[in-house]
Amino acid sequence: MDKLPSSIFNDVIGPVMRGPSSSHVAGASRIAAIVRQSLGGDASRVLVDFDVNGSLAESHDGHGTDMGFVSGIMGIEMTDPTVPDAERLAKEAGVDVRFRVLDYGATHPNHYRIAATGRNGVSHDWEAISVGGGMIEMQKFDGFDVRIEGDFYELLVTADATAHSADELVAKVKEICSGFDFIDVQHAADKSGKILVALKFAAKPDAPITEPLRTLPGVLDVVQLEPILPTHSRAGCTVPFRRPEELAALAKSEPRALWEFAARYEAARGGTSPDEAFEKMRGIVAIMENAVAEGLRGTAYEDRILGPQAFKIDEGNTKGQLVPCDVLNTTIKFITAVMEVKSAMGVIVAAPTAGSCGCLPGTVLGVGRTLGLSQDEIVKGMLAAGIVGVFIAELATFAAEVAGCQVECGAGSGMAAAGVAQMMGGSVAQCLDAASIALQNITGLACDPVANRVEVPCLGKNVMGGTNAIASANMALAGYDRVIPLEQTILAMLDIGTKLPLELRCTFGGLGKTQMSLEIRERLEKKK
């Protein structure tokens, strides 16, 4: 089936998680959660390979991939306080998880090759990729091509090809499943004489379905998987627009604010109502506010480069050392607070990623709180930001491993610019122009983490993204000419990002290979 439209709460603002990186921690956790489901119980042995030419070869330990993957294998939720201890807990439970770096020709920088065995003796091989912002795609199951993204209920039936032709098996499986709402069927035969039939369901079958399938002649295995994403998918999903140009045209005939279009879009995508989308975003904003408050109280965590610094903005203001600018300084403080919670393994919202988790909430909340806006107005700003993120997800990516930090902190900046413009009463056109200006200002931004940690220069880039967002919103609200429309800007950003050298896409380049970076990394490794 064709790829479904992006969702604000799946692809853009979320997941709610702990850890330094959504691509690494949340993506790995979700991949492992599906692997765990396929085993039908607890795992006993798991071997994970990363390709030597991908980004995970260099960053899987420092960016939390190992921790995230083991959390998923152990069934530990991403918000659970034991996430940082997942590897220790696995060892204590006798679960053997190993990571290798090999040269096996992966074509995606965030590729996983997995061989897993459960305590019940069931074994499965998987291949998967983390595509950015915690989103994943399971691409191979026991050698068969599949596409599982975690938004459907899935059924995988493997059979001996000598017992049925592929068409015969599909017909028998569909007959057994005819009373349930399945919406897609795929099948393929492999070289070892096996057939896989894969079905997607919009809702969980309300009666046992695996046992009748197991009784079919030649059936070797039946695997049932449940969704792992907050917004589930269904048949016949249509949305009112998918591209900025379509929204701009719609806005000319329908006088609505950008946040209203965003709520309407997400309601259509998730099969809910605009009011439900609004309240769901209110819950997300509350989590962001908690992260700001926690960061301002001060955080502690051993394995990080930077200690608490958010409080220094207030100290500097009190001493008269800072350039007077309440909105800007509050935004810097809030962004720093969220980033410090992330680095201390606290609960944050990946918005659009964990590495860029400070820019959007710090800016929208910083502007909103400084100006005394209500929570409703802040929620509206966040919805406006979310729909700009949908356009980036549709036209580009949120993975720095694919296109550099411009699609993480840069994307957060463009989203925040639209959110600020919305809170200031901007029209749809002004909000989209603000996003385009912000993204134009930040194209080509490299991802070059120091000491294999998501802290430096990540904090500064989040702060830069926030200040850029405020300036860009003001430019658009004042009527500055954005020149390049948002859609073309996003496509240009992707083009620039994919042309960056691999070492500037979240691996080991730029600031990451300076002498100071190497010294800090050595010091942190000795601590561990």
Side-chain angles (χ1 to χ4, degrees), residues 70-83:
V70 177
S71 295
I73 283 293
M74 294 293 291
I76 300 171
E77 295 294 330
M78 284 184 285
T79 56
D80 194 293
T82 63
V83 166

Side-chain angles (χ1 to χ4, degrees), residues 285-419:
V285 168
I287 296 169
M288 292 172 168
E289 289 176 324
N290 287 339
V292 170
E294 182 180 346
L296 294 178
R297 287 193 297 268
T299 58
Y301 194 70
E302 187 69 19
D303 186 27
R304 69 180 188 181
I305 301 170
L306 298 171
Q309 299 182 111
F311 68 91
K312 294 184 177 182
I313 294 295
D314 285 340
E315 285 188 353
N317 268 330
T318 300
K319 295 175 182 177
Q321 295 172 329
L322 307 185
V323 176
C325 184
D326 287 348
V327 169
L328 194 61
N329 287 329
T330 300
T331 295
I332 294 170
K333 178 174 67 175
F334 281 14
I335 289 173
T336 305
V338 176
M339 293 296 288
E340 290 174 359
V341 170
K342 180 267 303 173
S343 295
M345 292 299 294
V347 175
I348 54 93
V349 180
T353 69
S356 62
C357 68
C359 176
L360 174 59
T363 305
V364 171
L365 289 171
V367 171
R369 293 305 179 214
T370 304
L371 300 181
L373 302 182
S374 68
Q375 189 185 58
D376 277 4
E377 292 305 311
I378 290 172
V379 172
K380 292 174 183 178
M382 206 65 72
L383 281 166
I387 201 63
V388 168
V390 163
F391 297 142
I392 297 173
E394 287 286 303
L395 298 168
T397 177
F398 290 128
E401 299 86 351
V402 174
C405 195
Q406 59 176 353
V407 297
E408 293 204 22
C409 290
S413 184
M415 292 163 60

Side-chain angles (χ1 to χ4, degrees), residues 429-430 433-434 437 471-484:
Q430 287 173 321
D433 286 355
I437 292 169
S472 299
N474 275 346
M475 291 167 71
L477 293 167
Y480 277 50
D481 186 353
R482 46 81 169 137
V483 183
I484 309 297

